[in-house]
Amino acid sequence: MRLIVGISGASGVIMGYYLLKALRQIPDMEVHVVVTEGAAKTFEYETELSVAEVTALADVVHDHTNMAASISSGSFKTDGMIIIPCSMKTAAGIAAGFATNLLLRAADVCIKEGRKVVIVPREMPLSRIHLRNIKELSDCGCVVIPPVLTFYNGAQSVEKQIQHIIGKILMQFGIDYKEFVPWEGAE
């Protein structure tokens, strides 16, 4: 399996790190990563991780300005893309087909090729403009997984909440995640 991970400059870049760690554990998984300039700044603000530490978890790292990268073409086959977190700027760019960086172009390619694109939009509250763009992405076939809190699984820490979100994302690609606690039903 080959996936693209885009990390854009919204709050919550740590979720991208957790996703890359989870994908690293999957045999025969090839991961391509694109980190935007905004995401690199957000890693500095929100974490003690360097971008180099984060991208070291991927098989291939693409510069966000390299519009000639392999993932910029539909002839480079992938199983899809995950954008985590997905800033509202990124959502707007994808929705408008305004591919001014490699992350936007890779998403555009996945959509045009009918490949799965999962976005994890990160903003609160959502304006009508944000909702319109997210709806447009959903109408184009993107799966929208907002990073909302869950409580039925006993997730008492931020890390457990993130692991739940990662599990929900990976389910979209048919991947089981050992840290995910599914709902088992109640009597």
Side-chain angles (χ1 to χ4, degrees), residues 37-55:
E37 186 176 348
K41 289 277 187 209
T42 307
F43 271 108
E44 289 177 24
Y45 298 142
E46 294 185 351
T47 75
E48 295 181 7
L49 295 166
S50 70
V51 172
E53 288 175 275
V54 174
T55 58

Side-chain angles (χ1 to χ4, degrees), residues 8 42 58 61 86 90 167:
S8 72
T42 307
V61 180
C86 183
T90 297

Side-chain angles (χ1 to χ4, degrees), residues 119-167:
I119 66 164
V120 183
R122 194 37 212 100
E123 186 60 72
M124 183 175 38
L126 294 166
S127 75
R128 288 181 179 183
I129 295 167
H130 302 151
L131 291 167
R132 180 189 66 213
N133 289 334
I134 291 168
K135 181 188 179 303
E136 185 65 30
L137 292 175
S138 179
D139 289 346
C140 290
C142 294
V143 176
V144 180
I145 300 181
V148 297
L149 300 175
T150 186
F151 298 97
Y152 65 79
N153 59 1
Q156 300 293 321
S157 68
V158 172
E159 182 175 14
K160 291 292 184 185
Q161 292 286 344
I162 292 171
Q163 288 171 340
H164 181 79
I165 294 161
I166 300 305

Side-chain angles (χ1 to χ4, degrees), residues 2 4 66-81 83 93-95 97-117 137 140 142:
R2 179 187 283 162
I4 303 166
N66 182 7
M67 298 298 278
S70 58
I71 61 174
S72 71
S73 175
S75 65
F76 185 76
K77 293 182 182 179
T78 69
D79 294 287
M81 182 171 186
I83 305 168
I94 298 167
F98 193 61
T100 57
N101 65 37
L102 183 58
L103 189 154
L104 296 171
R105 174 60 186 165
D108 187 55
V109 165
C110 286
I111 291 168
K112 81 178 181 71
E113 296 294 334
R115 298 174 186 151
K116 185 166 288 227
V117 175
L137 292 175
C140 290
C142 294

